[in-house]
Amino acid sequence: MTTLWQIFWLFALLSMVAFGGGAGVIPDMQRGAVETYRWMTAKEFLDLFAISRSAPGPGSMIAVLIGQKAAGLAGAAVAFVAMFMPSCLVVHFVAKGWDRAARKPWRAVVEQALAPIGIGMTFASGLALAQGTEHEYVSYAVTATATLVFAFTSINPILLLAAGGAVMLLAGV
Amino acid sequence: MPTRPRPALSALFMGFVTIGLSSFGGGLTAWVRREVVQRRGWLDDQQFLSGYALSQLVPGATNVNLAVFIGTQLRGVPGALACFAGLTFPPTIIACTLGAIYFGMHGMPGGESLSIALGGMGAVAIGLNLGTGIRLARRGIRKIVPALIAATVAVSVGIAGLPLIPVLGVMIPVSLLAAWWASRAA
């Protein structure tokens, strides 16, 4: 039972400070799971990170895997609730307030102002990910090609992903 | 104000199931825009972008926030739940299954090739993010000031590695001022 509480508080707190997305709190997750609570070794944490990146869906799925390692399926469920519920409640109320302002002139101004911010953040997340993962020449080439193909054609991204995996296997990086 | 579509809850759920299951390696935003703006037309680019920026400002996983935001906008509480469940439930089941396999058998054979292939998919996923940025910029940026604002955010966070919150703390007021100025001039 104490482990479940520890899981709950770790992820509920991290959920509330995860400004700019879940990736920023990964180091804090590692500190909590490996050093503070000793649920796993550093190597196991890295493996779980790789698994969460390779599985589809939000990157924060690593929280579920940490919970699963610490306390089985109950731990996974607690981590899921703690990681997602607090921030989802906040965003729900923000969205409702946004809705009530539908006819206010300031909302149009705010929408116009947030558009270039959102575009800048889209580029920033891609650029930061490219720097964060150990990128070699081949992977930079793959990223650049995928960027251009996706921007200027309407190809299904699944095909691009499959091609990326195949290229890397053939290149034997 | 244009009337907003009222998609069925099942359509919202299935739309986000598609998004959740087709996104690998963190290129999720590209998939959300493709599904919600491009394929289904539930939101236009400006609504999508303001939702995306607000989702970043609220703590928590950005794309989960974005799903809740879009669901709330389109169908209130049930819509938020449908989008949230669609986005998170199937990937959670998959992650737990993979986790169980991993915990059950350490060091699978063929694991090396798998991780190489996954690395390639991750590299493509990053390209999907950047490509989405190009698409959005080509449609949404017509003037020099918004272009400079977008470039400043991209470079300071994405290349210089400055933390997002202080950057937004400066750039959002700047952008608000610029948009307010432009609306007065219009």
Side-chain angles (χ1 to χ4, degrees):
Chain A
M1 201 61 210
T2 42
T3 309
L4 291 181
W5 273 114
Q6 288 167 343
I7 294 169
F8 180 83
W9 284 115
L10 176 66
F11 290 114
L13 286 175
L14 289 182
S15 162
M16 292 314 292
V17 297
F19 288 102
V25 295
I26 298 280
D28 298 81
M29 287 187 188
Q30 178 168 23
R31 198 170 313 129
V34 177
E35 288 168 31
T36 312
Y37 299 120
R38 300 179 183 282
W39 292 324
M40 63 193 71
T41 64
K43 170 70 171 67
E44 285 174 322
F45 185 89
L46 271 182
D47 287 346
L48 292 188
F49 181 65
I51 292 174
S52 75
R53 287 295 303 263
S54 68
S60 319
M61 280 304 151
I62 187 172
V64 176
L65 287 168
I66 294 170
Q68 189 181 10
K69 174 73 171 76
L73 281 184
V78 168
F80 179 89
V81 170
M83 192 67 210
F84 294 125
M85 284 305 156
S87 49
C88 282
L89 281 176
V90 174
V91 87
H92 176 68
F93 288 111
V94 169
K96 283 179 81 164
W98 190 244
D99 236 18
R100 274 196 294 276
R103 287 161 205 285
K104 301 266 165 53
W106 62 261
R107 193 181 120 163
V109 172
V110 172
E111 279 196 346
Q112 271 165 28
L114 289 180
I117 301 279
I119 290 169
M121 291 192 314
T122 307
F123 280 112
S125 72
L127 293 169
L129 281 172
Q131 290 180 331
T133 52
E134 73 259 53
H135 245 53
E136 298 164 56
Y137 290 115
V138 186
S139 24
Y140 273 118
V142 169
T143 298
T145 311
T147 301
L148 294 176
V149 172
F150 185 68
F152 297 105
T153 72
S154 52
I155 190 173
N156 187 327
I158 294 275
L159 293 177
L160 278 178
L161 285 163
V167 165
M168 291 301 253
L169 277 179
L170 289 175
V173 180
Chain B
M1 193 199 145
T3 52
R4 183 181 287 151
R6 236 182 103 79
L9 291 175
S10 57
L12 285 176
F13 179 79
M14 286 316 295
F16 275 88
V17 166
T18 309
I19 292 165
L21 287 183
S22 46
S23 59
F24 286 86
L28 240 154
T29 312
W31 291 97
V32 179
R33 182 184 169 278
R34 182 183 149 89
E35 193 70 22
V36 170
V37 178
Q38 218 172 317
R39 291 190 54 203
R40 303 197 184 235
W42 288 335
L43 299 176
D44 62 29
D45 262 338
Q46 197 162 37
Q47 293 168 326
F48 169 77
L49 280 169
S50 58
Y52 179 51
L54 287 170
S55 302
Q56 287 263 18
L57 288 175
V58 175
T62 305
N63 294 295
V64 179
N65 286 349
L66 184 56
V68 172
F69 185 92
I70 291 170
T72 303
Q73 292 255 293
L74 293 170
R75 292 295 307 268
V77 174
L81 288 173
C83 293
F84 174 79
L87 181 66
T88 57
F89 284 3
T92 301
I93 292 166
I94 292 172
C96 284
T97 309
L98 290 174
I101 293 170
Y102 167 81
F103 297 135
M105 41 188 272
H106 272 255
M108 286 172 286
E112 190 64 14
S113 313
L114 185 66
S115 80
I116 290 173
L118 290 172
M121 292 169 76
V124 170
I126 294 169
L128 298 185
N129 263 16
L130 295 172
T132 300
I134 292 176
R135 283 181 171 222
L136 287 168
R138 283 181 34 181
R139 287 154 178 255
I141 294 190
R142 299 256 178 273
K143 302 208 180 76
I144 185 77
V145 174
L148 285 175
I149 290 169
T152 308
V153 173
V155 170
S156 53
V157 176
I159 294 176
L162 298 179
L164 181 70
I165 292 305
V167 170
L168 293 187
V170 173
M171 292 314 290
I172 287 178
V174 168
S175 194
L176 280 171
L177 212 61
W180 175 73
W181 193 258
S183 76
R184 272 178 36 127

